[in-house]
Structures are given as C-alpha cells and as structure tokens.
Amino acid sequence: MSPRFVMISRWRLETTRERLWELLINPLDWPGWWPHLASVSSLASGDREGVGSQHAFLWRSGLGYLLRIVMTTRRAERLRELEAAASGDLRGIGLWLIEEAPPDAVCLTYRWDVELSKPWMRLWVPLLRPIFAWRHFAVMACGARGMAHQLGCRLSGIEEWSVISPVDEGVPVS
C-alpha cells in the first residue's frame, strides 16, 4: 500500500484576504494560535515574496508521536496562493489557496500531498492509514479554530476530503 496521502481541508472564515494572508506568511507566529504546533524556526528568509524561505516545524500528532517537517516556499501569489515543499518526516507539497466567499468572507483551502518518510509509519501504513488521516484532519480543525480566534473572526465551516486509494509506488510526489 502506498505511503502517499492527498488530504484537503477547506475553511470559511469571515475575514479579509489581507488579514488571512498576513497570518499565513508569518509561520513563526503560528504556535501562538495552532495548538498542535510545538515550534517553528526560520532556516532561510527567501526573496521579497518569501519564495525560497525555509521553516522547520515540529508538530504534535495528539497520539504521542512528533513530526519534524521543513517547509520550503516554492511559490507565493499574494492574497491567493502559497505553496511549499515538505521534507523530513513527510515529503511532498502543501498548498494554501485563498478565495472570496461572499458576503464578507474567504475560503481557505489547504491541499497536503505527501508521502510518509518515517520507517515505522511506512511499515504500518496498511493498518494505520485511516488513523493518520483522522489525526491530520483533527490537527487541521484545531488550526482552523485557532486561526479564527487569532483573527477575531467567525469560522463558519470546515470541510475535508482525502484520497485514500493505492498509488503506484514509482510515481513521485513532488
């Protein structure tokens, strides 16, 4: 069974693109409002738009294991898209998409297309795949609530999807 996951979270927040963008582009502040994020450290600053910036994240799963992930920003389209490559315990691509959601709201979508790197996770993926996906969505839902609280806005919806079908082992994630 493939160690690859494609998971999508979508949140409707009653805020502006500008306020949401400022929150997203400052990951050093995320531990203050995202409960499962133990720490973030800056490894590289990147260009004026943040492309090339690198941050090391330490995530708590809620089940006793930690995930160490380095995110390198690959693309930043102000107020619209922020994409980063993941390395470490997970490898792949994370993409934030911001869209208008009238009236007076935005939809924030996160697409997480990753492959497990930790040997124990790869070994147990046939049995634990649903649990890994469940924990991802639990961590994301806590992030949605924390983000809304930090922005002082209403969170009026959380949606999630997951692709949990086998994928050819030879197909690269990134």
Side-chain angles (χ1 to χ4, degrees), residues 21-30 33:
W21 182 257
E22 287 305 313
L23 194 71
L24 286 176
I25 63 170
N26 291 298
L28 293 176
D29 297 335
W30 291 11
W33 54 264

Side-chain angles (χ1 to χ4, degrees), residues 1 43 55 72 114 117 121 135 142 163 173:
M1 180 172 281
L43 304 176
H55 292 86
T72 304
V114 292
S117 299
M121 293 178 111
R135 285 314 304 156
C142 284
V163 176
V173 174

Side-chain angles (χ1 to χ4, degrees), residues 16-66:
T16 64
R17 284 180 186 250
E18 292 79 8
R19 293 189 69 222
L20 183 56
W21 182 257
E22 287 305 313
L23 194 71
L24 286 176
I25 63 170
N26 291 298
L28 293 176
D29 297 335
W30 291 11
W33 54 264
W34 204 320
H36 288 77
L37 186 50
S39 66
V40 178
S41 58
S42 179
L43 304 176
S45 58
D47 67 13
R48 189 174 49 198
E49 286 79 34
V51 175
S53 67
Q54 280 191 326
H55 292 86
F57 292 80
L58 180 61
W59 292 93
R60 293 183 288 262
S61 67
L63 292 178
Y65 63 89
L66 298 172

